[in-house]
Amino acid sequence: MRSVELFAGAGGLAMGVSQAEFTPEAVVEWDRDTCITIRSNQERGVVPVAHWPLLEGDVRGIDFHAFPPGMDLVSGGPPCQPFSLGGKHRGQHDERDMFPQAVRAVRELQPRAFVFENVKGLLRQSFAKYFEYVLLQLTHPDVMRAPDDGDWTDHLARLERHHTGGATDGLSYKVVFRLLNAADYGVPQKRERVFIVGFRADLGLEWSFPEATHSQNALLWDQWVTGDYWERHRISRPQAPEKLRPYVRQLQTELFPPVQQAWRTVRDAIGDLPDPEQKDWSDRYPNHRHNPGARAYAGHTGSLIDEPAKTLKAGDHGVPGGENMLAFADGHVRYLTVRESARLQDFPDDYVFPVSWTESMRQLGNAVPVSLARTIAASVGSRLNGPGRAA
């Protein structure tokens, strides 16, 4: 299956898509430092990045008509800053809003399916009207904005009329979206992101998001009912925190354990890495170097080691990595190393970040967890190749 990846960033989504057996015709990224990261891993032969056809440049300058027809998938994460809860919330008025380019790519490539990812802030009430506009454009990508449309709201009204009128002519997609928590799919991080998935309407395919495979209840069962979690990590079982005791008591009344697997914790992800405060381990574990100066303050308290991490931040509006810390029981905090952060985003250990700590944390904070991307892309790919598939 063939794909095009837009707004690739450090490559988390593209790597997951590639692992789901899509072959990229192009991986597009405009940021120079991020392209340095991808090229460095290509030079080192990291799979599947090594054979990506990387295009460094502005997506606005790409003529998608030049690609061979028959594309199976377009995927990407349009820059999230316009909609981020930590940003300036300018949304459609932000020049970094690349959803119009995502729509153009779908219109010109006419892929069998698309997958786009963005921040939870896209669902804010203040963006509700624009989010509807995005969804309708992706549903009817060839109903383009006309010269006599005064602004995007005029185009929205025309799309609404087209959609409710039941028009069946032209290119159209069946579009769904859902807010997913990466922890529910085995990522050691509580990271909520919006995924928008569409299938070309003429294919007549039915699809729904994959069911969650992991849960908090299963983790609590593992930790505080059976104690298997602590035995697995060879740690003496501590006393359950006060805030969790009501949930633990409730779980203890259950006859059977939760059917899902346990949420993965920070310890699950990085427990085998040596202490970076003792020495620089980068010769054995790439990017596993301590960065001093971490401190806790309001809104930046770090992640507990026996829970999934808090959402990794890109730091575009503060100290990069300011919340990307480990918080220990004695009150001590330290920054996560770049390697630890990469583990929390499910990047493989041979994937290196050859740029500064600040830039590396920015790239990781903006990335899609690789395993979550693979789960979504594999589900889409399975449907495209399943019964009732069409070209």
Side-chain angles (χ1 to χ4, degrees):
M1 292 180 291
R2 298 163 53 230
S3 65
V4 167
E5 177 75 20
L6 309 175
F7 325 109
L13 180 56
M15 186 176 291
V17 169
S18 293
Q19 290 176 354
E21 300 185 359
F22 286 90
T23 301
E25 295 284 329
V27 174
V28 183
E29 174 55 40
W30 74 274
D31 182 73
R32 178 178 177 273
D33 287 329
T34 307
C35 288
I36 288 173
T37 294
I38 294 175
R39 287 200 178 96
S40 176
N41 287 283
Q42 289 182 318
E43 292 167 2
R44 299 175 68 253
V46 176
V47 177
V49 181
H51 303 295
W52 283 355
L54 178 64
L55 297 181
E56 180 177 351
D58 194 328
V59 69
R60 289 171 289 194
I62 295 177
D63 178 10
F64 294 108
H65 289 116
F67 286 78
M71 198 64 62
D72 294 294
L73 181 72
V74 169
S75 57
C80 64
Q81 291 87 354
F83 307 98
S84 172
L85 295 176
K88 298 179 181 179
H89 314 153
R90 298 191 66 236
Q92 67 275 13
H93 304 297
D94 195 311
E95 62 182 11
R96 295 169 296 179
D97 174 24
M98 288 289 113
F99 270 112
Q101 295 305 311
V103 173
R104 182 175 69 86
V106 170
R107 179 170 60 251
E108 295 181 5
L109 289 169
Q110 301 186 20
R112 292 202 290 161
F114 59 76
V115 175
F116 295 119
E117 177 268 357
N118 215 277
V119 293
K120 179 182 179 181
L122 185 61
L123 301 181
R124 287 167 61 95
Q125 183 58 39
S126 57
F127 296 140
K129 191 173 182 179
Y130 188 70
F131 186 49
E132 180 197 2
Y133 181 47
V134 169
L135 294 179
L136 283 175
Q137 286 183 95
L138 289 170
T139 301
H140 306 287
D142 62 350
V143 180
M144 299 172 61
R145 188 168 171 176
D148 58 348
D149 286 331
D151 61 15
W152 68 270
T153 59
D154 292 332
H155 187 203
L156 169 60
R158 193 153 51 82
L159 282 163
E160 289 173 333
R161 292 191 296 271
H162 182 85
H163 186 68
T164 58
T168 58
D169 58 319
L171 179 66
S172 65
Y173 286 80
K174 301 295 186 180
V175 181
V176 293
F177 73 92
R178 189 181 293 185
L179 180 67
L180 301 181
N181 184 346
D184 292 338
Y185 295 86
V187 178
Q189 183 185 168
K190 290 177 277 192
R191 188 180 188 89
E192 292 185 302
R193 290 294 186 268
V194 179
F195 282 81
I196 306 171
V197 178
F199 286 81
R200 213 172 61 213
D202 65 294
L203 301 179
L205 298 177
E206 296 179 352
W207 182 86
S208 63
F209 281 93
E211 293 298 321
T213 54
H214 296 65
S215 73
Q216 182 182 28
N217 278 350
L219 174 61
L220 295 178
W221 180 280
D222 208 25
Q223 290 177 327
W224 309 113
V225 177
T226 67
D228 290 345
Y229 174 87
W230 311 106
E231 183 176 345
R232 185 165 61 251
H233 287 291
R234 300 181 181 180
I235 299 172
S236 297
R237 180 172 173 170
Q239 188 176 22
E242 184 70 32
K243 67 178 182 177
L244 294 179
R245 291 175 190 173
Y247 302 101
V248 173
R249 285 193 293 269
Q250 181 178 347
L251 283 172
Q252 288 170 337
T253 67
E254 302 288 336
L255 295 177
F256 302 101
V259 295
Q260 295 103 340
Q261 300 176 63
W263 269 0
R264 291 180 62 217
T265 69
V266 176
R267 192 187 299 274
D268 288 328
I270 70 171
D272 63 320
L273 292 174
D275 184 357
E277 292 186 285
Q278 299 300 316
K279 60 172 287 188
D280 181 353
W281 294 95
S282 293
D283 57 337
R284 186 179 303 178
Y285 301 96
N287 302 122
H288 193 44
R289 179 185 298 111
H290 176 58
N291 190 60
R295 63 183 180 87
Y297 55 95
H300 293 76
T301 55
S303 296
L304 300 176
I305 195 167
D306 291 311
E307 297 179 10
K310 296 180 179 180
T311 303
L312 289 181
K313 304 285 181 63
D316 290 324
H317 301 278
V319 179
E323 173 64 348
N324 301 346
M325 301 182 296
L326 266 179
F328 297 91
D330 62 1
H332 170 62
V333 297
R334 70 164 174 83
Y335 285 125
L336 293 161
T337 68
V338 171
R339 180 50 44 201
E340 290 170 333
S341 300
R343 288 266 186 106
L344 296 178
Q345 290 282 51
D346 279 341
F347 280 88
D349 279 353
D350 60 351
Y351 196 88
V352 302
F353 292 82
V355 291
S356 69
W357 179 82
T358 298
E359 176 59 26
S360 297
M361 296 302 283
R362 185 188 70 82
Q363 292 180 17
L364 282 163
N366 283 328
V368 178
V370 175
S371 61
L372 178 57
R374 181 176 64 246
T375 295
I376 301 299
S379 178
V380 169
S382 176
R383 193 67 194 92
L384 290 176
N385 281 337
R389 67 187 183 273

